[in-house]
Amino acid sequence: MTEQLRLMAVHAHPDDESSKGAATMAKYVSEGVDVLVATCTGGERGSILNPKLQGDPYIEEHIHEVRAKEMDEARQILGVRQEWLGFVDSGLPEGDPLPPLPEDCFALQDVEAAAEPLVKLIRTFKPQVITTYDENGGYPHPDHIMTHKISMVAFEAAGDPGKYPEAGEAWQPQKLYYNQGFNRARTVALHEALLARGLDSPYGEWLERWKTFDRPERTLTTYVPCADFFEIRDKALIAHRTQIDPDGGWFRVPMDIQKEVWPTEEYELAKSLVDTSLPEDDLFAGIRNN
């Protein structure tokens, strides 16, 4: 295949691109693949999760602008392009019973209407491969679930000239994947490796909570080797200062152990219009050289 390879990663909020599949994107950028992140919302209702920045009145008042600036820094670190779809963060409802979602938010939009800007972006960028979230959102944040919904509609509609005729000339992506980097197999492997070396593991409580989840294990189909880009992934994640504490649990596993024990990022092949053989080690398997 002589045509430029293009990968689109569809995410709910700024920072999601750096915690889910970032090393994969950096790897493909290094190989000359054109990579675009589509960010559905501005993260306006996200909490300030870094305790070092909590209570800062400027950040609290200008959270939208602050998170946009963080996104731009992370984009540059990863070497990707990035576009905003323009929806408003739904926030993560908490309590029992859960409060209603804000009226203007992404998660309450009509799915068919909300898919149109993504269809337009697909037709403009022309990716062969798209990554997004599974039907559970990876975790059940309303924006992640809505991201899944519009991604599925857009994947099917982008190649149909009868759908969204004002969104540009039809273009059909060939493969769609779900991010599955937070999988049980990886977590167990890193947890056991840390304990075997006499080190504390941040994953003990995770694994206990996993036992309470009423969901089947996902099928991992694709393992992308990208350990050489883990440092870039972490640097991009730290750029989202309001969301990530650089001294927090995200970074407690020594890098050499990560690279040795689990040197890949994982995906679940959800749709493919090309022949491929599972398991894969390349999101473009079946597309290269076709």
Side-chain angles (χ1 to χ4, degrees):
M1 181 173 185
T2 58
E3 185 181 2
Q4 169 77 53
L5 294 176
R6 291 175 298 276
L7 170 66
M8 176 184 285
V10 187
H11 287 286
H13 313 104
D15 83 87
D16 286 327
E17 84 296 326
S18 296
S19 62
K20 305 167 188 66
T24 298
M25 292 193 294
K27 164 193 165 70
Y28 282 124
V29 167
S30 77
E31 297 173 356
V33 176
D34 195 0
V35 180
L36 173 66
V37 173
T39 311
C40 294
T41 80
E44 303 90 341
R45 291 192 171 97
S47 300
I48 299 172
L49 301 178
N50 184 345
K52 299 179 178 68
L53 299 180
Q54 288 171 353
D56 185 314
Y58 178 85
I59 294 176
E60 291 178 351
E61 186 176 347
H62 300 88
I63 188 65
H64 193 179
E65 294 91 334
V66 169
R67 296 199 70 180
K69 186 176 180 180
E70 292 174 347
M71 179 69 247
D72 191 54
E73 184 176 341
R75 175 194 64 74
Q76 293 180 55
I77 291 167
L78 294 172
V80 302
R81 295 200 262 164
Q82 188 260 344
E83 295 284 348
W84 303 96
L85 294 189
F87 296 103
V88 177
D89 189 345
S90 305
L92 182 59
E94 296 179 297
D96 186 12
L98 292 174
L101 292 172
E103 290 184 6
D104 64 343
C105 74
F106 178 44
L108 293 183
Q109 303 301 306
D110 176 80
V111 173
E112 296 291 327
E116 183 163 10
L118 183 56
V119 170
K120 184 174 182 180
L121 192 58
I122 291 170
R123 290 175 176 176
T124 301
F125 181 62
K126 297 179 170 57
Q128 293 93 355
V129 175
I130 294 175
T131 65
T132 189
Y133 313 138
D134 63 35
E135 64 276 10
N136 299 309
Y139 78 104
H141 189 298
D143 286 336
H144 285 239
I145 293 170
M146 187 64 165
T147 297
H148 163 80
K149 291 178 179 178
I150 70 165
S151 296
M152 304 310 287
V153 170
F155 182 88
E156 298 293 341
D160 184 345
K163 299 283 184 66
Y164 304 99
E166 297 182 0
E169 184 179 352
W171 169 268
Q172 180 59 60
Q174 298 298 293
K175 300 174 85 175
L176 182 140
Y177 289 91
Y178 298 150
N179 297 292
Q180 297 295 356
F182 297 109
N183 58 77
R184 182 175 173 82
R186 172 184 180 273
T187 307
V188 168
L190 290 173
H191 176 70
E192 292 180 346
L194 289 166
L195 297 182
R197 291 162 172 80
L199 301 173
D200 291 334
S201 168
Y203 298 123
E205 290 185 7
W206 284 30
L207 292 172
E208 285 302 312
R209 287 199 303 271
W210 226 303
K211 296 176 183 178
T212 68
F213 292 167
D214 187 24
R215 292 205 304 260
E217 292 293 320
R218 306 298 305 201
T219 300
L220 305 180
T221 63
T222 310
Y223 299 74
V224 178
C226 52
D228 290 345
F229 301 90
F230 285 178
E231 288 91 351
I232 293 176
R233 172 203 64 195
D234 287 2
K235 187 177 179 183
L237 191 54
I238 290 171
H240 292 282
R241 295 171 184 84
T242 60
Q243 305 302 299
I244 298 295
D245 181 357
D247 300 317
W250 278 97
F251 309 105
R252 284 175 55 192
V253 181
M255 186 60 70
D256 60 330
I257 294 178
Q258 293 185 51
K259 290 183 174 183
E260 174 190 344
V261 173
W262 205 269
T264 61
E265 289 182 336
E266 291 74 55
Y267 299 85
E268 177 182 352
L269 181 60
K271 290 182 177 291
S272 182
L273 304 181
V274 297
D275 291 332
T276 186
S277 178
L278 301 180
E280 306 169 318
D281 61 4
D282 179 13
L283 299 182
F284 293 93
I287 294 174
R288 297 182 194 267
N289 303 318
N290 278 0

